[in-house]
């Protein structure tokens, strides 16, 4: 069944085309032609079940025949993946995906893509079989029936708890990929009845392993050159698709083309042949209002190095929000390096390599990150805002960029290639500006310089966690601010424990008259094995 949430946009017909409630029920198929859905809770705040109304107040609760709505993106621009006319009533029919297979081999792309379906029908007469058609509801796939094999006898098939004697028709389909998604919804029509089923591919990845032992489900657009990147992203970079980078992409210090930035991506993965390393993507600059390389990341960013990227905000007066290599992140970020990243954000809030993140981060490395602000809040080299778990992160300034450190101890005059210059900003962290309801574990930070206003920490500016954080350290670093300045945290909320935190060889200071909570920051709650 399709799902929706308040103000989710549906098919774009105006309310005047909807007709009466009675007419829509009689037509059975016109229920999709609505444009806003409102969902209410029938089973408590944790549930959203079988209850929807149109913007005009018409209720479809209890509808026994018709189609569930098709969901669009909240701005109405594109249909979401896996949306289709999920019919209610109107005949007995079932669809199952038996297999969806193919092979992938890097720049050669996909081959031998094939889908096999079983369609269960009440009749296999000539008229019914001739009426049999199938589509992928988002338009992501074009399916062509290559072979039809109807059974001559019926088989018992259970639908919604009732048993039916149905004929099984096996379909073999050739596949053309239009959009590269994680999954698809196949809709089959026959004899005036339409049913659908979810489809995921089992792809043998020969690029990752020539022996063919690697199987994956998502489909990816392959990018091997910077020209590929510009061409592919101009056409598909805002469709929430999946992309795989299979060679280093060096843009030669150029300004990034307009079609190659502000991207909306589901997955972005790097993969050299035989998994022999991590490709890098970068050496470009982008100046504009609220500039970001990736505007939205949804599911996964992995096995990539973002290298030598310069982002500069041309808006010097507005107090805007969210600027970074990745602006809005819901994806899991795994095995990713950010190196030599320079961000000049002016007065913007929520600034970092990832500006605003609700996705987990693991096995991340940051090297020589430079962020310069003239205002705003929530500034962090890794993330301005983070409310999912962060684990196994290494952050440091490169050796040749460091001065003012003697025998592993930082001085007030320390300089580093890893510097956050945000003296007029609040909630500034060497890694994260605002850590919201999430744990921070296995973190190692060294040789960085953090300059903020209030609530400044070598790791986190403001932390309001609900989970224990442990095994974190910062060394040979300079952390300065005004109020609530700490080697690890500017402010740590009570209610969660800190275990095994180390501050070693750091210079921590407050610079304003009457400053408070400087040195350890503003720490409350359970503190164990804290060393300075």
């Amino acid at each position: 069944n399709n799902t929706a949430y308040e103000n989710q946009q549906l098919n774009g017909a105006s309310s005047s085309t909807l007709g009466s409630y009675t007419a829509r029920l009689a037509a059975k198929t016109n229920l999709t032609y609505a444009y806003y859905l409102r969902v209410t809770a029938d089973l408590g705040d944790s549930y959203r079940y079988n209850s929807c109304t149109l913007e005009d107040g018409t209720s479809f609760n209890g509808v026994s025949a018709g189609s569930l709505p098709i969901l669009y993106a909240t701005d109405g621009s594109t249909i979401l993946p896996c949306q289709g006319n999920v019919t209610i009533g109107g005949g007995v029919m079932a669809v199952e995906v038996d297999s969806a297979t193919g092979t992938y081999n890097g720049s050669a792309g996909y081959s031998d893509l094939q889908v096999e379906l079983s369609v269960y029908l009440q009749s296999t007469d000539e008229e019914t079989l001739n009426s049999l058609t199938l589509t992928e509801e988002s338009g992501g796939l074009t399916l062509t029936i290559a072979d039809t094999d109807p059974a001559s006898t019926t088989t018992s098939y259970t639908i919604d708890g009732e048993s039916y004697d149905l004929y099984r028709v096996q379909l073999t389909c050739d596949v053309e990929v239009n959009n590269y998604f994680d999954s698809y919804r196949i809709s089959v029509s026959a004899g005036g009845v339409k049913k659908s089923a979810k489809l995921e591919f089992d792809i043998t990845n020969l690029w990752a392993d020539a022996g063919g032992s690697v199987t994956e489900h998502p489909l990816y657009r392959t990018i091997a050159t910077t020209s590929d990147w510009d061409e592919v992203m101009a056409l598909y970079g805002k469709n929430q698709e999946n992309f795989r980078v299979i060679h280093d992409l060096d843009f030669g210090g150029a300004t990034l083309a307009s079609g190659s930035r502000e991207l909306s991506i589901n997955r972005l993965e790097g993969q050299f042949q035989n998994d022999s390393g991590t490709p890098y993507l970068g050496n470009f600059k982008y100046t504009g209002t609220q500039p970001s390389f990736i505007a939205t990341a949804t599911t996964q960013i992995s096995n990539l190095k973002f290298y030598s990227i310069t982002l500069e905000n041309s808006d010097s007066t507005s107090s805007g929000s969210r600027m970074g290599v990745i602006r809005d992140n819901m994806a899991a970020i795994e095995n990713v390096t950010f190196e030599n990243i320079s961000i000049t954000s002016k007065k913007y809030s929520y600034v970092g390599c990832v500006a605003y993140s609700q996705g987990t981060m693991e096995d991340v490395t940051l090297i020589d990150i430079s962020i310069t602000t003239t205002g705003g809040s929530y500034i962090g080299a890794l993330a301005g805002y983070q409310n999912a778990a962060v684990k196994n992160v290494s952050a440091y300034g490169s050796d040749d960029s460091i001065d003012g450190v003697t025998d592993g101890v930082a001085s007030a005059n320390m300089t580093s290639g890893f510097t956050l210059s945000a003296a007029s900003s609040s909630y500034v962290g060497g890694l994260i500006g605002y850590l919201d309801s999430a744990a921070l574990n296995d973190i190692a930070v060294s040789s960085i310089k953090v300059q903020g206003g209030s609530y400044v920490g070598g790791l986190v500016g403001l932390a309001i966690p609900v989970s224990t954080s442990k095994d974190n350290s910062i060394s040979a670093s300079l952390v300065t601010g005004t109020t609530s300045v700490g080697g690890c945290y500017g402010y740590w909320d009570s209610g969660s424990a800190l275990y095994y935190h180390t501050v070693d060889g750091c210079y921590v200071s407050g610079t304003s008259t009457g400053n408070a909570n400087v040195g350890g920051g503003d720490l409350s709650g359970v503190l164990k094995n804290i060393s300075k």
Side-chain angles (χ1 to χ4, degrees), residues 415-433:
T415 59
S416 172
F418 195 126
T419 297
L420 277 65
S421 300
S424 300
S425 298
S426 300
Y427 310 114
V428 180
L431 280 186
I432 298 168

Side-chain angles (χ1 to χ4, degrees), residues 34 48 131 177 204 219 230 235 262 323 338 355 363 374 398 444 460 503 506:
R48 299 291 185 268
S131 69
V177 182
T204 301
L219 298 183
D230 287 339
L235 293 171
E262 305 295 343
M323 177 179 165
F338 296 95
D363 299 328
T374 56
S398 59
V460 179
V503 180
C506 293

Side-chain angles (χ1 to χ4, degrees), residues 11-20 24 30 33-35:
N11 285 2
S14 66
S15 58
S16 62
T17 67
L18 296 177
S20 68
R24 279 176 289 208
N30 286 343
Y33 293 102
Y35 60 104

Side-chain angles (χ1 to χ4, degrees), residues 40-49:
T40 57
D42 292 334
L43 303 176
D45 291 340
S46 299
Y47 295 88
R48 299 291 185 268
Y49 177 72

